[in-house]
Amino acid sequence: MKVLVATQKPFAPAAVASIRQVIEDAGYEMILLEKYASAEDLTKAAADADAIIIRSDVVDAKVLEAAKNLKIVVRAGAGYDNVDLATAKEHGVVVQNTPGQNSNAVAELVFGMTVIAIRNMYDGTSGTELRGKTLGIQAFGQVGRNVARIAKGFDMVVSALDPFCPDEVIAEAGVNPVKTVNDLYLNNQFVSIHIPATPETKGSIGYDLIRLMPAGGVLINTARKEVIDEAGLMRALEERTDLKYVADVKPDNADELKAKFGHRVFFTPKKMGAQTAEANINAGIAAARQIVAYLRDGENRYQVNR
Ligand code: 3PG
């Protein structure tokens, strides 16, 4: 069995070594494709793979057509908007993710970027603090829960909106459940976005929501750039000169936003939320183990394309 590890943005070397160990201990062969230049490289490498581990790498119909032996794709991470789930299903290919394995890393980056923003990019001017401030978490999944935990350490007042999570679960974490998205934006100076990119959520956060934020509002996006309506964001930042936007992975209109708003916006040049040795090791090993468990025993708990 051949397991292709295809990571345009490579895992830490220690993670690669651990993944190799799991795969080789199972008697399988690992093929490593890192920092590849084009989608074609992935398509070619996938041709004789039985299993593929990816990160944000795009597994589209072309890759799936080419990969005649493919049985399983594991996204080492949470979001799977980069995989053509329906075509995978048509080809009988199982798609899984590794929920929770990189969420602490993403949550820590939320605060890394937030502190940079409220300290004015460390430009020597007086900034502000997080203590006692309101934080609204949009979606209380694995990352949202870690964000809440860390926010408590900053002594923030934490609320969360998640229509798929019972209020009791949110309340048990010491977080105030919020009923509507308008309330989340209206009542929280800081809002951290953790919704997945789906047809329903794409472009769903725009002018109408962002303009509701209280004075000195900071919108933090470590989810996907696609959930933001970029024209609406631009308009809100133009009208509300007190607002800031920080994001892990830059929006399409990043240059324009930077030129117009300078230190009021911050973007990582590459998606960096999950880019820690710990998250790479956790997600990478989980992915390798899930492949072995599926190929050997049909264990399929984390399938996302049923
Ligand atoms: C995820 O969905 O798990 C995160 O966005 C991390 O993506 P990455 O593995 O490409 O860094």
Side-chain angles (χ1 to χ4, degrees), residues 32-305:
L32 185 61
L33 177 72
E34 289 182 325
K35 290 191 200 170
Y36 52 90
S38 71
E40 280 206 338
D41 295 343
L42 173 56
T43 308
K44 266 192 209 147
D48 62 349
D50 295 278
I52 307 181
I53 294 175
I54 51 161
R55 299 185 63 179
S56 291
D57 308 81
V58 175
V59 172
D60 56 12
K62 248 185 164 175
V63 174
L64 292 161
E65 292 293 342
K68 300 285 180 226
N69 300 337
L70 191 62
K71 295 152 190 70
I72 178 167
V73 175
V74 180
R75 194 281 189 242
Y80 41 85
D81 46 312
N82 47 324
V83 183
D84 183 340
L85 298 183
T87 305
K89 196 173 172 188
E90 274 168 31
H91 288 255
V93 173
V94 161
V95 181
Q96 298 183 357
N97 66 349
T98 66
Q101 301 291 348
N102 60 16
S103 37
N104 179 67
V106 180
E108 288 190 12
L109 186 70
V110 167
F111 292 93
M113 295 197 302
T114 304
V115 171
I116 287 177
I118 61 173
R119 294 297 183 101
N120 307 324
M121 309 290 158
Y122 307 125
D123 67 357
T125 62
S126 283
T128 55
E129 300 181 20
L130 291 176
R131 184 164 61 176
K133 306 288 165 54
T134 49
L135 169 69
I137 298 174
Q138 190 170 2
F140 205 60
Q142 302 273 359
V143 182
R145 289 168 206 211
N146 276 284
V147 168
R149 172 180 55 78
I150 298 169
K152 297 256 158 200
F154 280 102
D155 268 342
M156 299 186 84
V157 179
V158 189
S159 302
L161 170 78
D162 193 330
F164 304 102
C165 180
D167 282 0
E168 305 81 72
V169 173
I170 295 176
E172 267 165 29
V175 173
N176 310 311
V178 172
K179 284 277 167 262
T180 70
V181 69
N182 276 21
D183 283 348
L184 190 82
Y185 280 76
L186 198 55
N187 298 322
N188 290 286
Q189 185 184 346
F190 296 83
V191 173
S192 190
I193 303 167
H194 302 290
I195 51 176
T198 66
E200 294 75 39
T201 64
K202 282 184 184 169
S204 65
I205 300 164
Y207 176 77
D208 288 345
L209 282 179
I210 301 167
R211 75 184 179 88
L212 298 177
M213 294 184 78
V218 180
L219 182 60
I220 307 126
N221 181 11
T222 54
R224 292 288 182 270
K225 71 177 167 133
E226 289 83 1
V227 302
I228 301 286
D229 163 15
E230 293 186 358
L233 169 69
M234 173 86 74
R235 186 174 162 207
L237 288 169
E238 269 163 0
E239 282 184 25
R240 288 278 309 277
T241 55
D242 59 314
L243 295 184
K244 293 181 174 171
Y245 178 66
V246 294
D248 184 25
V249 94
K250 46 185 181 188
D252 292 336
N253 63 355
D255 291 346
E256 209 182 338
L257 288 170
K258 263 260 145 253
K260 276 194 171 164
F261 306 116
H263 281 184
R264 290 173 53 209
V265 294
F266 172 83
F267 315 118
T268 52
K270 255 188 192 238
K271 187 149 62 107
M272 291 300 292
Q275 197 59 329
T276 64
E278 293 89 337
N280 288 175
I281 289 168
N282 292 343
I285 292 180
R289 286 189 178 144
Q290 286 173 215
I291 284 174
V292 174
Y294 178 70
L295 293 178
R296 270 197 184 157
D297 310 320
E299 166 59 49
N300 201 9
R301 174 166 170 214
Y302 295 110
Q303 184 175 3
V304 293
N305 68 332

